[in-house]
Amino acid sequence: MAIYKLGDICNYVEGYVNPEIANEDYFDSTGTPWLKVADLIHGSNIYSTKTYLSTLGKSLAKHENQLFKKDSIVWSKSGSIGVTSILGIDAMANRGILNIKPNTKYIKNKYLFYFLCKNKTIFSNKGFGAVLKHFYGPNLMNEKINLPLLKKQQSIIDIIEPIEKLFLKYSNCVRINTFENVQSDIKNLIDIIEPIEKLENNIYRQINKINFLIKNIKITKQKIKLSDILEPIKNPPKRLEQASAKVLMKNTTLISSLEKKGTYNTNSFFCPKETFLFCSIRTYLQKYCILPIDADVNGTLYQFKIKRNFTSLLNALQNKEFWQKTNLLSTGTKMPKISQKDFLNIKINKTTFEIKNLTKLLVIQNKVLIKLDKLKENLIYLLIK
């Protein structure tokens, strides 16, 4: 065990291949993959990019090291700092990305990958810049690492690899400086966190099956307005936990969590459990939910009491034609918004039948998910301590 600066045990190359985007001659649909920060997925392998360089674009590289090799680590130094991936292909990159290479006499590539993944938040918090944050190569190389011997590193890798997804998701709970610490912390993850994850995944599978069922219910030729299904409400706030578009998940009735009391001091309204919320801004994001508990709701979400025919509405929400309508009815350039009047005037087809107690079922599932998330958060806090 020894403490090193990263610069003593690895080196890096900056992407710095920056073709002029407007010049099509630099690009080719079957050329050399060109990485941008947006292409990186933290903790994952990269097998493709959105953009490819032509021979002319590739010629912008200043030296051959700017072709990053398959199986090497790529790391974002700008914008979303610390996003760490392993290349599954040879690629070039723009200036926002570093290619980090270990000195294999001291550190294994996979161990370095785990170290960088685990410390993403730490590096990100050290970023600087008024508009776009940066954490440059020399800054990273100055960071310290408590490094086990190579044989111990391999033992640590062998423990983590079988449950790598779980480790990457909760790496802040795992100390990787010694074999004993990794063994103990991984056991805690498997014994304490993994069962909750499995339960959550089972509930999500149930919800997906319900959504599939609702989407495929036969519809009649009878048209009904959303105003026949929904009744607008607006109540003064009660200083409860809050909900906004941030916690609504795409095209599902779920919310991921609730925000703290007082997150929004103005433009918030009390909504009782089972209120239907619809995000009026940027409807292309397809955000709506059934509120699982009493909460204060941000005013950008339209708030409705469900009167009847809710299965018909959920059926419509599962189909792209509905969202095409809301997008067309939205006005504004930066933040297009649909008016409540236009929303309620939308006509949809009535389904052949209604599912009884559907809102109650969806509310119960979401309640359980929120409680599991809070339980997991508390357990993670204890594990870190």
Side-chain angles (χ1 to χ4, degrees):
M1 180 76 68
I3 297 175
Y4 294 92
K5 285 186 177 181
L6 281 179
D8 296 330
I9 57 159
C10 62
N11 58 65
Y12 70 91
V13 176
E14 292 193 27
Y16 241 90
V17 178
N18 298 290
E20 186 183 342
I21 299 296
N23 189 340
E24 294 181 0
D25 293 339
Y26 287 127
F27 304 100
D28 190 316
S29 59
T30 59
T32 301
W34 183 54
L35 274 173
K36 302 184 291 296
V37 174
D39 293 309
L40 302 186
I41 303 169
H42 190 61
S44 296
N45 286 15
I46 302 298
Y47 296 102
S48 64
T49 58
K50 294 184 179 70
T51 313
Y52 294 81
L53 297 172
S54 65
T55 303
L56 180 63
K58 189 176 176 181
S59 71
L60 295 175
K62 294 177 181 177
H63 49 79
E64 61 182 18
N65 284 346
Q66 286 181 326
L67 178 65
F68 299 165
K69 295 297 185 179
K70 179 182 175 182
D71 297 326
S72 65
I73 296 169
V74 282
W75 188 87
S76 62
K77 68 180 179 68
S78 299
S80 299
I81 295 168
V83 181
T84 308
S85 302
I86 290 180
L87 285 175
I89 50 173
D90 290 352
M92 288 183 166
N94 72 1
R95 63 169 64 99
I97 295 174
L98 305 181
N99 188 213
I100 302 174
K101 302 174 182 180
N103 182 336
T104 53
K105 290 181 180 179
Y106 297 95
I107 186 167
K108 290 184 173 289
N109 193 60
K110 200 63 180 282
Y111 188 87
L112 177 60
F113 172 71
Y114 289 151
F115 173 81
L116 293 170
C117 285
K118 175 179 168 53
N119 289 285
K120 177 183 183 296
T121 302
I122 292 172
F123 300 143
S124 182
N125 289 339
K126 291 182 178 182
F128 50 88
V131 179
L132 188 68
K133 287 191 175 293
H134 306 278
F135 194 67
Y136 296 113
N139 303 118
L140 180 64
M141 292 298 108
N142 208 37
E143 292 292 314
K144 292 180 179 178
I145 181 171
N146 200 350
L147 196 62
L149 296 173
L150 284 172
K151 189 175 180 181
K152 289 290 184 182
Q153 289 177 41
Q154 187 58 54
S155 298
I156 289 167
I157 293 166
D158 291 341
I159 290 177
I160 293 174
E161 276 188 328
I163 53 116
E164 189 172 88
K165 283 186 179 179
L166 192 67
F167 165 77
L168 291 169
K169 193 170 182 180
Y170 302 106
S171 59
N172 58 331
C173 301
V174 181
R175 297 160 295 172
I176 63 170
N177 58 332
T178 70
F179 176 79
E180 292 73 23
N181 284 341
V182 172
Q183 198 172 39
S184 171
D185 294 345
I186 290 293
K187 184 178 185 304
N188 285 335
L189 275 185
I190 293 171
D191 291 348
I192 298 170
I193 302 299
E194 193 173 44
I196 300 174
E197 290 265 304
K198 286 181 178 178
L199 184 53
E200 286 177 328
N201 289 335
N202 284 335
I203 294 171
Y204 281 120
R205 278 195 289 270
Q206 289 175 17
I207 292 167
N208 288 336
K209 286 179 181 178
I210 292 169
N211 287 337
F212 180 80
L213 169 66
I214 291 168
K215 181 178 180 178
N216 290 284
I217 292 176
K218 290 184 178 180
I219 55 174
T220 68
K221 292 182 179 179
Q222 182 184 351
K223 295 279 187 179
I224 51 175
K225 284 186 177 183
L226 295 192
S227 58
D228 298 325
I229 301 170
L230 304 169
E231 179 184 322
I233 59 171
K234 190 158 280 191
N235 302 309
K238 292 189 175 181
R239 290 199 59 77
L240 302 174
E241 289 182 300
Q242 297 188 316
S244 71
K246 288 181 181 178
V247 299
L248 269 60
M249 301 168 73
K250 183 175 180 177
N251 206 3
T252 175
T253 57
L254 302 175
I255 62 172
S256 57
S257 61
L258 284 168
E259 295 168 284
K260 292 178 181 178
K261 298 176 186 179
T263 302
Y264 306 97
N265 292 319
T266 59
N267 195 30
S268 64
F269 305 90
F270 166 72
C271 291
K273 180 179 71 174
E274 297 185 18
T275 297
F276 177 73
L277 305 177
F278 184 87
C279 186
S280 61
I281 296 172
R282 295 174 177 158
T283 58
Y284 54 82
L285 295 176
Q286 301 182 13
K287 289 192 170 188
Y288 59 90
C289 80
I290 302 166
L291 199 60
I293 60 174
D294 293 354
D296 287 344
V297 172
N298 183 263
T300 58
L301 304 178
Y302 290 147
Q303 305 136 40
F304 303 103
K305 177 183 176 183
I306 301 166
K307 295 191 288 187
R308 63 185 74 83
N309 296 323
F310 190 60
T311 304
S312 300
L313 174 56
L314 285 187
N315 171 270
L317 289 165
Q318 293 296 316
N319 291 287
K320 64 181 181 181
E321 291 81 7
F322 178 88
W323 297 104
Q324 289 170 350
K325 287 180 187 176
T326 62
N327 294 341
L328 287 170
L329 290 168
S330 298
T331 57
T333 51
K334 288 187 177 179
M335 299 181 72
K337 179 179 179 179
I338 186 171
S339 71
Q340 190 175 91
K341 180 181 177 182
D342 285 341
F343 177 71
L344 289 172
N345 278 329
I346 292 174
K347 290 182 179 180
I348 62 173
N349 291 86
K350 191 174 180 181
T351 52
T352 52
F353 65 90
E354 287 289 314
I355 301 173
K356 289 185 177 180
N357 299 317
L358 178 59
T359 54
K360 286 182 170 52
L361 171 62
L362 296 171
V363 161
I364 289 168
Q365 288 174 322
N366 203 170
K367 256 185 174 178
V368 172
L369 285 171
I370 289 172
K371 286 181 178 178
L372 287 173
D373 192 62
K374 285 186 175 178
L375 173 61
K376 198 163 55 174
E377 186 180 315
N378 291 333
L379 289 170
I380 288 168
Y381 175 75
L382 290 173
L383 287 176
I384 292 171
K385 286 192 74 176

Short mmCIF file of all heavy atoms in Angstrom, two decimals, residues 152-186:
data_model
loop_
_atom_site.label_atom_id
_atom_site.label_comp_id
_atom_site.label_asym_id
_atom_site.label_seq_id
_atom_site.Cartn_x
_atom_site.Cartn_y
_atom_site.Cartn_z
N LYS A 152 -3.14 -7.39 -5.17
CA LYS A 152 -4.33 -7.02 -4.40
C LYS A 152 -5.36 -6.30 -5.30
O LYS A 152 -6.56 -6.48 -5.16
CB LYS A 152 -3.95 -6.13 -3.22
CG LYS A 152 -3.19 -6.82 -2.11
CD LYS A 152 -4.10 -7.79 -1.36
CE LYS A 152 -3.35 -8.41 -0.18
NZ LYS A 152 -4.21 -9.40 0.53
N GLN A 153 -4.84 -5.47 -6.21
CA GLN A 153 -5.74 -4.80 -7.15
C GLN A 153 -6.56 -5.82 -7.94
O GLN A 153 -7.77 -5.66 -8.12
CB GLN A 153 -4.95 -3.92 -8.12
CG GLN A 153 -4.34 -2.68 -7.50
CD GLN A 153 -3.51 -1.90 -8.50
OE1 GLN A 153 -3.90 -1.75 -9.65
NE2 GLN A 153 -2.35 -1.41 -8.07
N GLN A 154 -5.88 -6.87 -8.41
CA GLN A 154 -6.58 -7.90 -9.19
C GLN A 154 -7.62 -8.62 -8.33
O GLN A 154 -8.73 -8.92 -8.80
CB GLN A 154 -5.59 -8.92 -9.76
CG GLN A 154 -6.22 -9.93 -10.71
CD GLN A 154 -6.91 -9.26 -11.89
OE1 GLN A 154 -6.30 -8.46 -12.59
NE2 GLN A 154 -8.19 -9.57 -12.09
N SER A 155 -7.30 -8.86 -7.06
CA SER A 155 -8.27 -9.49 -6.15
C SER A 155 -9.49 -8.60 -5.95
O SER A 155 -10.63 -9.09 -5.90
CB SER A 155 -7.61 -9.77 -4.80
OG SER A 155 -6.53 -10.67 -4.93
N ILE A 156 -9.25 -7.29 -5.86
CA ILE A 156 -10.35 -6.32 -5.72
C ILE A 156 -11.21 -6.30 -6.98
O ILE A 156 -12.45 -6.30 -6.91
CB ILE A 156 -9.78 -4.92 -5.39
CG1 ILE A 156 -9.22 -4.91 -3.97
CG2 ILE A 156 -10.84 -3.84 -5.56
CD1 ILE A 156 -8.37 -3.69 -3.65
N ILE A 157 -10.55 -6.32 -8.15
CA ILE A 157 -11.28 -6.35 -9.42
C ILE A 157 -12.15 -7.60 -9.50
O ILE A 157 -13.31 -7.56 -9.93
CB ILE A 157 -10.29 -6.30 -10.61
CG1 ILE A 157 -9.61 -4.93 -10.66
CG2 ILE A 157 -11.01 -6.58 -11.93
CD1 ILE A 157 -8.39 -4.88 -11.57
N ASP A 158 -11.61 -8.73 -9.07
CA ASP A 158 -12.33 -10.01 -9.12
C ASP A 158 -13.58 -9.99 -8.25
O ASP A 158 -14.58 -10.66 -8.56
CB ASP A 158 -11.41 -11.16 -8.69
CG ASP A 158 -10.29 -11.43 -9.69
OD1 ASP A 158 -10.43 -11.00 -10.86
OD2 ASP A 158 -9.28 -12.05 -9.31
N ILE A 159 -13.55 -9.24 -7.15
CA ILE A 159 -14.73 -9.13 -6.27
C ILE A 159 -15.78 -8.23 -6.92
O ILE A 159 -16.98 -8.53 -6.89
CB ILE A 159 -14.34 -8.56 -4.89
CG1 ILE A 159 -13.52 -9.57 -4.09
CG2 ILE A 159 -15.59 -8.19 -4.09
CD1 ILE A 159 -13.04 -9.04 -2.76
N ILE A 160 -15.34 -7.13 -7.51
CA ILE A 160 -16.27 -6.13 -8.02
C ILE A 160 -16.92 -6.55 -9.35
O ILE A 160 -18.13 -6.33 -9.55
CB ILE A 160 -15.56 -4.77 -8.21
CG1 ILE A 160 -15.16 -4.19 -6.84
CG2 ILE A 160 -16.45 -3.77 -8.95
CD1 ILE A 160 -14.32 -2.92 -6.92
N GLU A 161 -16.16 -7.16 -10.25
CA GLU A 161 -16.65 -7.42 -11.61
C GLU A 161 -17.97 -8.19 -11.68
O GLU A 161 -18.84 -7.84 -12.47
CB GLU A 161 -15.58 -8.14 -12.44
CG GLU A 161 -14.58 -7.17 -13.06
CD GLU A 161 -13.65 -7.84 -14.04
OE1 GLU A 161 -13.33 -9.03 -13.84
OE2 GLU A 161 -13.22 -7.17 -15.00
N PRO A 162 -18.20 -9.23 -10.84
CA PRO A 162 -19.48 -9.95 -10.94
C PRO A 162 -20.70 -9.10 -10.59
O PRO A 162 -21.81 -9.41 -11.02
CB PRO A 162 -19.31 -11.11 -9.93
CG PRO A 162 -17.84 -11.26 -9.77
CD PRO A 162 -17.27 -9.88 -9.90
N ILE A 163 -20.51 -8.03 -9.78
CA ILE A 163 -21.64 -7.16 -9.42
C ILE A 163 -21.30 -5.71 -9.79
O ILE A 163 -21.61 -4.79 -9.04
CB ILE A 163 -22.01 -7.31 -7.93
CG1 ILE A 163 -20.78 -7.09 -7.02
CG2 ILE A 163 -22.63 -8.65 -7.63
CD1 ILE A 163 -20.89 -5.92 -6.13
N GLU A 164 -20.67 -5.56 -10.95
CA GLU A 164 -20.15 -4.25 -11.35
C GLU A 164 -21.25 -3.18 -11.43
O GLU A 164 -21.04 -2.04 -11.02
CB GLU A 164 -19.44 -4.37 -12.70
CG GLU A 164 -18.68 -3.12 -13.10
CD GLU A 164 -17.83 -3.34 -14.33
OE1 GLU A 164 -18.36 -3.15 -15.45
OE2 GLU A 164 -16.66 -3.72 -14.18
N LYS A 165 -22.41 -3.54 -11.95
CA LYS A 165 -23.50 -2.56 -12.07
C LYS A 165 -23.90 -2.04 -10.70
O LYS A 165 -24.13 -0.84 -10.52
CB LYS A 165 -24.71 -3.18 -12.76
CG LYS A 165 -24.56 -3.31 -14.26
CD LYS A 165 -25.84 -3.80 -14.90
CE LYS A 165 -25.69 -3.90 -16.41
NZ LYS A 165 -26.94 -4.41 -17.06
N LEU A 166 -24.00 -2.93 -9.72
CA LEU A 166 -24.36 -2.53 -8.36
C LEU A 166 -23.27 -1.65 -7.76
O LEU A 166 -23.55 -0.62 -7.14
CB LEU A 166 -24.58 -3.77 -7.49
CG LEU A 166 -25.23 -3.54 -6.11
CD1 LEU A 166 -26.67 -3.09 -6.26
CD2 LEU A 166 -25.16 -4.81 -5.27
N PHE A 167 -22.02 -2.02 -7.98
CA PHE A 167 -20.89 -1.22 -7.48
C PHE A 167 -20.91 0.19 -8.08
O PHE A 167 -20.76 1.19 -7.37
CB PHE A 167 -19.56 -1.90 -7.80
CG PHE A 167 -18.37 -0.98 -7.66
CD1 PHE A 167 -17.86 -0.67 -6.41
CD2 PHE A 167 -17.77 -0.40 -8.78
CE1 PHE A 167 -16.78 0.20 -6.27
CE2 PHE A 167 -16.69 0.45 -8.65
CZ PHE A 167 -16.19 0.76 -7.39
N LEU A 168 -21.07 0.28 -9.40
CA LEU A 168 -21.03 1.58 -10.07
C LEU A 168 -22.18 2.48 -9.61
O LEU A 168 -22.02 3.70 -9.52
CB LEU A 168 -21.06 1.40 -11.59
CG LEU A 168 -19.80 0.77 -12.19
CD1 LEU A 168 -20.03 0.37 -13.63
CD2 LEU A 168 -18.61 1.72 -12.07
N LYS A 169 -23.29 1.89 -9.30
CA LYS A 169 -24.44 2.67 -8.84
C LYS A 169 -24.24 3.20 -7.43
O LYS A 169 -24.68 4.30 -7.09
CB LYS A 169 -25.71 1.82 -8.91
CG LYS A 169 -27.00 2.61 -8.78
CD LYS A 169 -28.20 1.74 -9.09
CE LYS A 169 -29.48 2.55 -9.01
NZ LYS A 169 -30.66 1.73 -9.32
N TYR A 170 -23.55 2.42 -6.59
CA TYR A 170 -23.37 2.79 -5.18
C TYR A 170 -21.89 2.79 -4.79
O TYR A 170 -21.54 2.42 -3.66
CB TYR A 170 -24.15 1.82 -4.28
CG TYR A 170 -25.62 1.78 -4.59
CD1 TYR A 170 -26.18 0.70 -5.27
CD2 TYR A 170 -26.45 2.84 -4.24
CE1 TYR A 170 -27.53 0.67 -5.57
CE2 TYR A 170 -27.80 2.83 -4.55
CZ TYR A 170 -28.33 1.74 -5.21
OH TYR A 170 -29.66 1.72 -5.51
N SER A 171 -21.05 3.22 -5.70
CA SER A 171 -19.61 3.17 -5.45
C SER A 171 -19.18 4.04 -4.27
O SER A 171 -18.13 3.81 -3.67
CB SER A 171 -18.83 3.56 -6.70
OG SER A 171 -19.18 4.86 -7.12
N ASN A 172 -20.00 5.05 -3.92
CA ASN A 172 -19.66 5.88 -2.76
C ASN A 172 -19.74 5.10 -1.46
O ASN A 172 -19.27 5.56 -0.42
CB ASN A 172 -20.57 7.12 -2.69
CG ASN A 172 -22.03 6.77 -2.62
OD1 ASN A 172 -22.47 5.73 -3.13
ND2 ASN A 172 -22.82 7.63 -2.02
N CYS A 173 -20.33 3.92 -1.49
CA CYS A 173 -20.43 3.07 -0.29
C CYS A 173 -19.29 2.06 -0.19
O CYS A 173 -19.23 1.30 0.78
CB CYS A 173 -21.75 2.29 -0.29
SG CYS A 173 -23.22 3.31 -0.33
N VAL A 174 -18.43 2.01 -1.21
CA VAL A 174 -17.41 0.96 -1.26
C VAL A 174 -16.01 1.58 -1.22
O VAL A 174 -15.66 2.40 -2.06
CB VAL A 174 -17.57 0.10 -2.54
CG1 VAL A 174 -16.52 -1.01 -2.57
CG2 VAL A 174 -18.97 -0.49 -2.62
N ARG A 175 -15.23 1.15 -0.24
CA ARG A 175 -13.81 1.56 -0.16
C ARG A 175 -12.98 0.56 -0.95
O ARG A 175 -13.08 -0.64 -0.70
CB ARG A 175 -13.36 1.58 1.30
CG ARG A 175 -14.11 2.59 2.19
CD ARG A 175 -13.98 2.23 3.66
NE ARG A 175 -14.62 0.96 3.96
CZ ARG A 175 -14.54 0.32 5.12
NH1 ARG A 175 -13.81 0.84 6.09
NH2 ARG A 175 -15.16 -0.83 5.30
N ILE A 176 -12.19 1.05 -1.88
CA ILE A 176 -11.44 0.12 -2.73
C ILE A 176 -9.94 0.16 -2.44
O ILE A 176 -9.13 -0.34 -3.23
CB ILE A 176 -11.69 0.40 -4.24
CG1 ILE A 176 -11.20 1.80 -4.64
CG2 ILE A 176 -13.17 0.25 -4.59
CD1 ILE A 176 -11.22 2.04 -6.14
N ASN A 177 -9.57 0.73 -1.29
CA ASN A 177 -8.14 0.85 -0.97
C ASN A 177 -7.52 -0.44 -0.45
O ASN A 177 -6.31 -0.63 -0.53
CB ASN A 177 -7.90 2.00 0.01
CG ASN A 177 -8.68 1.82 1.30
OD1 ASN A 177 -9.74 1.20 1.31
ND2 ASN A 177 -8.17 2.38 2.38
N THR A 178 -8.35 -1.34 0.13
CA THR A 178 -7.83 -2.64 0.58
C THR A 178 -8.81 -3.75 0.21
O THR A 178 -10.01 -3.51 0.05
CB THR A 178 -7.61 -2.69 2.11
OG1 THR A 178 -8.90 -2.69 2.77
CG2 THR A 178 -6.78 -1.51 2.61
N PHE A 179 -8.28 -4.96 0.08
CA PHE A 179 -9.11 -6.12 -0.24
C PHE A 179 -10.17 -6.34 0.84
O PHE A 179 -11.34 -6.61 0.54
CB PHE A 179 -8.22 -7.36 -0.37
CG PHE A 179 -8.97 -8.62 -0.59
CD1 PHE A 179 -9.46 -8.95 -1.84
CD2 PHE A 179 -9.21 -9.50 0.47
CE1 PHE A 179 -10.18 -10.13 -2.04
CE2 PHE A 179 -9.92 -10.68 0.28
CZ PHE A 179 -10.40 -10.99 -0.98
N GLU A 180 -9.76 -6.18 2.10
CA GLU A 180 -10.68 -6.43 3.22
C GLU A 180 -11.85 -5.44 3.20
O GLU A 180 -13.00 -5.81 3.44
CB GLU A 180 -9.93 -6.34 4.55
CG GLU A 180 -8.92 -7.47 4.80
CD GLU A 180 -7.65 -7.33 3.96
OE1 GLU A 180 -7.34 -6.19 3.52
OE2 GLU A 180 -6.98 -8.36 3.75
N ASN A 181 -11.54 -4.16 2.94
CA ASN A 181 -12.60 -3.15 2.88
C ASN A 181 -13.59 -3.42 1.75
O ASN A 181 -14.80 -3.31 1.92
CB ASN A 181 -12.00 -1.75 2.70
CG ASN A 181 -11.40 -1.20 3.98
OD1 ASN A 181 -11.71 -1.67 5.08
ND2 ASN A 181 -10.53 -0.21 3.86
N VAL A 182 -13.05 -3.77 0.58
CA VAL A 182 -13.92 -4.07 -0.57
C VAL A 182 -14.80 -5.27 -0.26
O VAL A 182 -16.01 -5.26 -0.51
CB VAL A 182 -13.08 -4.34 -1.84
CG1 VAL A 182 -13.98 -4.83 -2.97
CG2 VAL A 182 -12.37 -3.08 -2.28
N GLN A 183 -14.21 -6.30 0.30
CA GLN A 183 -14.95 -7.52 0.63
C GLN A 183 -16.10 -7.22 1.58
O GLN A 183 -17.24 -7.66 1.37
CB GLN A 183 -13.99 -8.54 1.24
CG GLN A 183 -14.50 -9.96 1.24
CD GLN A 183 -13.42 -10.93 1.69
OE1 GLN A 183 -12.63 -10.64 2.60
NE2 GLN A 183 -13.35 -12.09 1.06
N SER A 184 -15.82 -6.44 2.61
CA SER A 184 -16.84 -6.09 3.61
C SER A 184 -17.94 -5.20 3.01
O SER A 184 -19.13 -5.44 3.20
CB SER A 184 -16.18 -5.37 4.79
OG SER A 184 -17.13 -4.84 5.66
N ASP A 185 -17.51 -4.17 2.25
CA ASP A 185 -18.48 -3.21 1.71
C ASP A 185 -19.35 -3.81 0.61
O ASP A 185 -20.55 -3.52 0.52
CB ASP A 185 -17.75 -1.97 1.18
CG ASP A 185 -17.06 -1.18 2.29
OD1 ASP A 185 -17.39 -1.43 3.47
OD2 ASP A 185 -16.21 -0.33 1.99
N ILE A 186 -18.76 -4.67 -0.21
CA ILE A 186 -19.54 -5.34 -1.26
C ILE A 186 -20.56 -6.29 -0.63
O ILE A 186 -21.71 -6.39 -1.09
CB ILE A 186 -18.62 -6.11 -2.23
CG1 ILE A 186 -17.81 -5.13 -3.08
CG2 ILE A 186 -19.42 -7.05 -3.12
CD1 ILE A 186 -18.60 -4.31 -4.07
#
